[in-house]
Amino acid sequence: METHPPLPRDRELDEGTYAQVRALITSGELAAGSWLREKTLAERIGVSRTPIREALNRLSAEGMVEISRNKGAQVVSFTPDDVAGLYDVRAGFEPHAALLAVPRLTDQDVDRLAELAAAMEEAVRSGQLDSLSALNSAFHGLFVDRCGNRHFATALQTLMRPAVVAHTFRKYSPEALNRSMLHHAELVAAARARDGEWAEAIMRTHILAARNAAGARHDRH
Amino acid sequence: METHPPLPRDRELDEGTYAQVRALITSGELAAGSWLREKTLAERIGVSRTPIREALNRLSAEGMVEISRNKGAQVVSFTPDDVAGLYDVRAGFEPHAALLAVPRLTDQDVDRLAELAAAMEEAVRSGQLDSLSALNSAFHGLFVDRCGNRHFATALQTLMRPAVVAHTFRKYSPEALNRSMLHHAELVAAARARDGEWAEAIMRTHILAARNAAGARHDRH
DNA sequence: GGATCTCAGGTTGCATACAAAATGCACCAA
DNA sequence: TTGGTGCATTTTGTATGCAACCTGAGATCC
């Protein structure tokens, strides 16, 4: 008996409801602070409330949305101090991840980094600042994924995902934007040389520069 | 006999399905690797499958359980390398959390730390090694919670929660166990003096000692 | 005898229905 | 006008039913 051919319509479920809701947030379609109504999202994505609730719970655990009991979920909004804290912490964690990851990178990984860096430069040239965020988080995410420690990776992703919400390249001056691209290129070079310490150093530089570019310097208390 | 010392119920008390499921894991009642059947848990806790599913999703996002699609959830299990990696990362970042947290502690916070440290010593004296894990994670969690950076706190908790599953004081030698208690006492002293740098130093010592006591030394490449 | 197929049991994924809680607004009184 | 009160609507929280899927045991075929 030949089996039923699988209905060829499952392409719309790329990665599931969770990814779609997250995309609505990272794309900026749902701004920081806006409410995420279960029914609205359910109709928009075309599923029932149940998978929406699961997605919101997961996003809440990851820090991208905040849920108040019996009141619903809203996209996290950041005080300037939150943003500053985020950069501080990233400045602490991500260079360490780079140090761990670089010696483990495959040649394909390095090529992918180069590809992403090139795509970002192209995006800057053509003024497509919106697509930068996704590329940038893929670039940084690769270092995190390859750090060789499962739990460090998930913790770091928990840390970085809300950063995507807060981070916008639109605040950058042309000069800062250019410097950021140079950092990416140098990270690729360090990766290609499999020099973890070099990567660690430039990553730290990169994040501290970003902290300034985003106007997120801390006032020392 | 007095078997009810001030248990760590400062956060959400047992109200909440999530907390109850987590308690089953942290208490060791559900060992690493064992399956978490939704129906079984639902009957055991006395709710329907829906809140159980939400709890499992959240625990999955926090790294304490692993969910395979259509197959169910199981308590996360650790390779020795995972455990070693966890200690490495904690050694890197928890001392920093202590440095940030100590100047912000209230007097009540310090009293709570002292209370927890005393409860742990009592547990050691009476051989109740099982209750140590919960007390210990409450103790460390307080430093993390008070570090003054929301995102740093959630990331570190994501990192530490699975560690609770892996961490067992049963591997400790009596000597190591005793040293660990002394570290806690010294952390309380540093906290009472509001000396962040002292706390940072002893916290780092504490974690590196724990790494050895748990037999989780890395081969550094 | 060994491998494959079929089917039954059980488990998860999703949709729907209902209960509980919160919000907003009209209305009333001071 | 202003402040409070009660009701109606909206929204979330939970329970339950059903379909899809995975797993394992027994039958079947070579």
Side-chain angles (χ1 to χ4, degrees):
Chain A
M1 243 23 112
E2 54 181 329
T3 58
H4 288 236
L7 301 175
R9 51 148 180 78
D10 285 350
R11 184 53 51 187
E12 60 186 347
L13 291 182
D14 356 298
E15 294 285 331
T17 305
Y18 158 77
Q20 292 186 57
V21 177
R22 198 182 68 184
L24 286 178
I25 298 173
T26 55
S27 73
E29 213 160 333
L30 294 167
S34 59
W35 289 95
L36 300 158
R37 295 300 171 200
E38 296 176 359
K39 198 183 173 198
T40 311
L41 288 173
E43 286 165 358
R44 178 161 187 173
I45 297 186
V47 294
S48 82
R49 278 177 51 217
T50 308
I52 296 288
R53 284 179 65 83
E54 296 201 348
L56 291 179
N57 274 317
R58 193 167 155 194
L59 289 165
S60 163
E62 288 173 353
M64 289 187 69
V65 311
E66 280 172 336
I67 295 182
S68 336
R69 182 173 173 92
N70 282 323
K71 284 184 68 178
Q74 48 187 338
V75 181
V76 288
S77 59
F78 294 86
T79 67
D81 229 48
D82 281 334
V83 178
L86 216 42
Y87 278 105
D88 285 350
V89 177
R90 283 186 65 187
F93 280 77
E94 261 193 81
H96 188 64
L99 172 69
L100 295 175
V102 161
R104 303 167 179 272
L105 294 177
T106 65
D107 289 342
Q108 288 105 320
D109 288 334
V110 176
D111 290 343
R112 175 107 185 99
L113 287 173
E115 206 177 301
L116 287 165
M120 281 190 270
E121 287 185 21
E122 179 54 35
V124 168
R125 251 196 305 279
S126 60
Q128 306 263 349
L129 292 195
D130 291 330
S131 63
L132 265 184
S133 287
L135 293 167
N136 190 56
S137 82
F139 187 89
H140 286 260
L142 205 147
F143 286 97
V144 172
D145 285 340
R146 296 291 186 277
C147 76
N149 183 322
R150 205 157 41 118
H151 298 97
F152 188 36
T154 63
L156 256 182
Q157 275 157 1
T158 299
L159 191 63
M160 288 175 55
R161 272 204 243 279
V164 175
V165 178
H167 192 84
T168 172
F169 286 99
R170 289 206 206 81
K171 289 185 185 170
Y172 279 46
S173 69
E175 187 190 0
L177 204 50
N178 206 44
R179 180 152 47 219
S180 185
M181 296 302 118
L182 289 175
H183 291 157
H184 288 152
E186 188 163 353
L187 274 163
V188 173
R192 206 176 287 286
R194 300 295 192 287
D195 186 333
E197 291 177 331
W198 183 12
E200 181 184 21
I202 186 68
M203 182 68 87
R204 185 166 164 77
T205 305
H206 178 56
I207 292 171
L208 293 176
R211 184 175 69 176
N212 269 273
R217 283 292 293 283
H218 243 330
D219 296 330
R220 315 272 305 150
H221 47 263
Chain B
M1 61 163 101
E2 187 184 22
T3 57
H4 214 70
L7 284 174
R9 54 178 177 82
D10 52 337
R11 304 249 182 99
E12 331 99 42
L13 32 156
D14 58 351
E15 300 207 48
T17 306
Y18 159 75
Q20 292 187 59
V21 176
R22 198 181 68 181
L24 287 177
I25 298 173
T26 56
S27 72
E29 213 160 333
L30 293 167
S34 59
W35 288 96
L36 301 159
R37 294 299 170 201
E38 296 177 359
K39 197 181 173 201
T40 311
L41 288 173
E43 285 165 359
R44 178 160 187 174
I45 297 186
V47 293
S48 82
R49 278 176 50 216
T50 307
I52 296 289
R53 284 178 65 82
E54 296 206 345
L56 291 179
N57 275 314
R58 192 167 157 194
L59 289 165
S60 163
E62 288 174 353
M64 289 187 71
V65 311
E66 280 172 337
I67 296 182
S68 331
R69 186 175 170 90
N70 284 321
K71 285 184 67 177
Q74 48 187 337
V75 181
V76 69
S77 61
F78 294 84
T79 67
D81 230 49
D82 283 334
V83 177
L86 275 177
Y87 278 106
D88 285 350
V89 178
R90 283 186 64 187
F93 296 105
E94 232 184 293
H96 188 63
L99 172 69
L100 294 174
V102 160
R104 304 168 179 270
L105 294 177
T106 65
D107 288 343
Q108 287 109 316
D109 288 334
V110 176
D111 290 342
R112 176 103 185 102
L113 286 173
E115 203 178 303
L116 287 165
M120 280 190 270
E121 286 184 23
E122 177 55 35
V124 168
R125 250 196 304 280
S126 60
Q128 307 260 351
L129 293 196
D130 291 330
S131 62
L132 266 184
S133 288
L135 294 167
N136 189 56
S137 81
F139 187 89
H140 285 261
L142 205 147
F143 286 98
V144 173
D145 284 340
R146 296 293 186 275
C147 75
N149 184 322
R150 200 156 46 114
H151 299 99
F152 190 34
T154 63
L156 258 182
Q157 274 159 0
T158 300
L159 199 59
M160 288 172 56
R161 268 205 244 278
V164 175
V165 178
H167 192 82
T168 173
F169 287 99
R170 290 205 208 82
K171 289 185 184 170
Y172 279 46
S173 69
E175 188 189 358
L177 204 50
N178 205 45
R179 181 151 49 218
S180 184
M181 297 302 119
L182 289 176
H183 292 157
H184 288 154
E186 189 162 353
L187 275 162
V188 173
R192 208 176 287 285
R194 299 296 193 285
D195 186 333
E197 291 178 331
W198 182 13
E200 180 185 22
I202 186 67
M203 182 68 87
R204 184 166 166 77
T205 306
H206 178 56
I207 292 170
L208 293 176
R211 184 175 69 177
N212 270 274
R217 282 292 291 284
H218 239 333
D219 298 330
R220 282 227 165 265
H221 42 260

